[in-house]
Amino acid sequence: MPVIGLATGRGTGPELAVVFEQVLAALTADHPTGVRIIRPDRLYHSYVSLRTEGDPARVQWLTAQDADHYEDFCRNLAARGATALFRTAINAQSLYLVRQRLRAVKVDLLRADGTSVLLVRDQAQGFYTGENQHAPGRLTRTLTFSRDITEAVIEYAVRRSRREWPDGRIDRVVMAYKFHLLDGAFDHWVADVADRLGLRIEVFQPDTVNRNLIAHGLPERTLVIAGNEWADIMHVVLLDRFGAERQENRCTENVYLGLGDAGPVEYQTVHGSADDLAGRDLVNPVATIRAAALVAERHAGVPGAVGAVEAALTALERQGVGTPDLGGEHSTTAVADALVDLLTTARAAGPAHAALDHSS
């Protein structure tokens, strides 16, 4: 029986968790053993919910509590053989404590007009993973870069690129980091691992990567390994550059290198917790629906789940079914119910059912 984790943050997290379960259940209805979902016994804070908790010392304590609990949940999932985890948005500071400890990278493959970019975002080191020290009227944030984390991120990125491009051809490997502030150590580490891997890896400052992207574009296959500070901002720009949908409709994938190959892959919505919509049944569920499809196809033995969901989403768009942020007039529940109805009808009719013919 596939084991899937489901972690929920505040804000619109509980509403999206229901959507994830609903769509995953529809997609795995014919699974011979079913799918087991494991949840933590904690509703994690969003940034907005933390702001209501009082002074910075209280926020700091709650942040640490959430981080410790979520790290334990991820480790327990790995020990129980879970291969995937869906997480709604939680407070970024808690999350990055976990990403530092478990050495996380975020992965997104972007394609357009014969060009593809594999973006591997280093979430395990740098400013986002720093630690705070408080003094009266002053906060000092200390960050760390290390050779072993840098090598682990590069090695994973290369392995992943060979999985995405099975013939092994990579036209260019680019790293976007503020390496010029690190006394020459960072590019020295990169040169060593590049030599060991037999690859040419170019390390640029982020503004140079931006200039080259604007002026020259990218080769057909480009692996971009990026510091979190640049990739966090530029991810949405790359989505636009490659004609991808708005980030609110997308899910993305995080890999915890510290949990090893057997650790669960974490899927998340790209958008935040949208606390202003909490409890109103209006949050856009499309990214969550897509995450459920990826989990079903990659981790729960449901081939074709992604294609079926994409076809159903296209059908809903044609019918004008969507939440207000997409120009529609439907609730979160109505969109999810309509999509599940399409999936259920298609399953009952068999593979020839025209409503979900992905070629239509």
Side-chain angles (χ1 to χ4, degrees):
M1 177 182 294
V3 177
I4 307 298
L6 174 57
T8 308
R10 303 194 187 199
T12 55
E15 297 161 72
L16 292 175
V18 170
V19 171
F20 177 81
E21 290 184 90
Q22 180 184 8
V23 176
L24 185 64
L27 290 169
T28 59
D30 294 331
H31 195 285
T33 63
V35 176
R36 183 181 182 192
I37 293 180
I38 299 178
R39 304 167 186 80
D41 57 353
R42 187 180 185 94
L43 182 65
Y44 299 102
H45 276 282
S46 68
Y47 179 73
V48 172
S49 70
L50 277 174
R51 288 172 58 191
T52 67
E53 291 288 344
D55 63 16
R58 170 75 174 167
V59 171
Q60 188 177 30
W61 182 78
L62 288 170
T63 296
Q65 291 290 308
D66 275 354
D68 291 345
H69 192 281
Y70 189 61
E71 179 188 0
D72 287 344
F73 178 63
C74 292
R75 291 188 182 278
N76 287 335
L77 284 176
R80 298 171 77 165
T83 60
L85 158 66
F86 175 70
R87 172 187 55 73
T88 71
I90 67 175
N91 175 42
Q93 191 172 349
S94 303
L95 187 59
Y96 275 103
L97 288 170
V98 179
R99 286 171 168 171
Q100 179 180 16
R101 297 167 190 170
L102 298 183
R103 299 190 174 191
V105 293
K106 181 172 286 187
V107 183
D108 202 354
L109 180 65
L110 307 172
R111 295 189 180 96
D113 301 325
T115 298
S116 57
V117 169
L118 178 62
L119 176 63
V120 177
R121 176 172 156 185
D122 179 356
Q123 300 176 310
Q125 56 186 349
F127 178 81
Y128 283 41
T129 57
E131 297 183 357
N132 296 336
Q133 294 181 339
H134 292 262
R138 186 174 72 242
L139 184 152
T140 302
R141 188 162 180 83
T142 304
L143 60 91
T144 301
F145 284 90
S146 75
R147 174 190 284 267
D148 62 332
I149 290 177
T150 301
E151 290 182 350
V153 169
I154 294 171
E155 289 167 354
Y156 173 81
V158 172
R159 290 198 307 273
R160 183 60 180 260
S161 68
R162 288 172 176 157
R163 192 169 95 194
E164 301 294 349
W165 303 312
D167 63 9
R169 195 190 94 228
I170 308 172
D171 294 330
R172 195 174 189 188
V173 183
V174 172
M175 295 186 70
Y177 281 79
K178 286 288 187 181
F179 70 96
H180 62 299
L181 301 176
L182 304 176
D183 297 327
F186 187 86
D187 39 326
H188 179 72
W189 302 337
V190 173
D192 283 350
V193 71
D195 184 63
R196 176 161 53 82
L197 295 175
L199 285 174
R200 181 173 183 247
I201 301 178
E202 301 171 271
V203 184
F204 294 112
Q205 294 182 40
D207 61 322
T208 303
V209 176
N210 294 350
R211 183 198 67 199
N212 291 343
L213 178 64
I214 293 169
H216 309 297
L218 295 168
E220 183 177 340
R221 294 181 183 179
T222 301
L223 169 60
V224 178
I225 307 168
N228 209 36
E229 295 76 10
W230 177 82
D232 190 20
I233 296 169
M234 288 298 295
H235 192 182
V236 68
V237 176
L238 289 171
L239 291 176
D240 179 72
R241 180 83 177 207
F242 279 82
E245 286 194 80
R246 53 192 291 178
Q247 64 175 354
E248 290 85 358
N249 287 348
R250 290 180 62 87
C251 64
T252 191
E253 171 187 349
N254 302 289
V255 177
Y256 290 110
L257 304 180
L259 294 178
D261 293 338
V265 176
E266 180 196 77
Y267 296 88
Q268 66 166 95
T269 57
V270 173
H271 58 75
S273 54
D275 291 65
D276 59 317
L277 298 178
R280 297 173 60 189
D281 199 24
L282 291 176
V283 63
N284 181 349
V286 172
T288 299
I289 289 167
R290 284 179 163 146
L294 284 170
V295 169
E297 181 157 327
R298 295 177 178 177
H299 305 277
V302 186
V306 171
V309 162
E310 288 302 318
L313 288 172
T314 298
L316 292 183
E317 184 179 7
R318 289 172 179 164
Q319 296 167 17
V321 177
T323 47
D325 65 305
L326 298 179
E329 299 179 350
H330 296 79
S331 67
T332 306
T333 300
V335 174
D337 286 349
L339 180 126
V340 168
D341 286 346
L342 284 175
L343 294 175
T344 303
T345 301
R347 187 175 68 250
H353 184 65
L356 292 187
D357 182 357
H358 196 51
S359 64
S360 62

